[in-house]
Amino acid sequence: MKGSITDMMQQAQKMQADMEKVQEELARAEVQGEAAAGLVTVVMTGRHDVKRVSIDDSVLTEDKEVLEDLLAAAVNDAVRKVEAHNKEAMSGLASGLNLPPGFKLPF
């Protein structure tokens, strides 16, 4: 019995180390969101930090409200892509855990 508890603790420690590694990789990952067929783009990290914003010169002739809407759409697109990327990466890590359906890990 003692051996199985030790094995279980070692597995938990390995899983924690693996999870930390994946979280670090996800934080460094970059995704690009866009609006208006790429005329407005936003590059965002896995931590939802916006690194770059690119606005095509042709959009600068639009009204301020249009530009604001396009920027918001590009940011929202990037957020959705970050979430999908993070979910996909974490699902591979959690696949061997036999978690009940709907159980969410803390990320």
Side-chain angles (χ1 to χ4, degrees):
M1 177 89 176
K2 184 177 180 184
S4 64
I5 292 174
T6 303
D7 291 343
M8 193 166 50
M9 291 300 292
Q10 289 174 344
Q11 288 176 344
Q13 288 172 343
K14 182 186 180 316
M15 186 184 93
Q16 183 177 4
D18 291 347
M19 193 174 298
E20 288 173 4
K21 181 181 174 187
V22 169
Q23 286 176 326
E24 289 172 16
E25 290 171 3
L26 290 175
R28 286 190 307 268
E30 294 183 4
V31 300
Q32 179 173 304
E34 64 178 47
L39 294 177
V40 177
T41 62
V42 172
V43 176
M44 182 179 285
T45 69
R47 287 189 178 149
H48 299 97
D49 294 330
V50 175
K51 291 191 76 174
R52 284 184 303 283
V53 175
S54 175
I55 301 171
D56 189 88
D57 290 340
S58 66
V59 179
L60 296 177
T61 61
E62 297 293 331
D63 292 336
K64 178 183 178 219
E65 292 81 16
V66 172
L67 185 55
E68 290 170 343
D69 289 345
L70 291 174
L71 185 56
V75 169
N76 290 336
D77 185 47
V79 168
R80 283 189 292 276
K81 288 178 179 178
V82 165
E83 295 299 322
H85 179 261
N86 290 356
K87 183 177 180 180
E88 181 180 324
M90 294 308 289
S91 69
L93 184 64
S95 64
L97 297 179
N98 297 324
L99 297 174
F103 186 84
K104 294 184 181 186
L105 294 174
F107 341 97

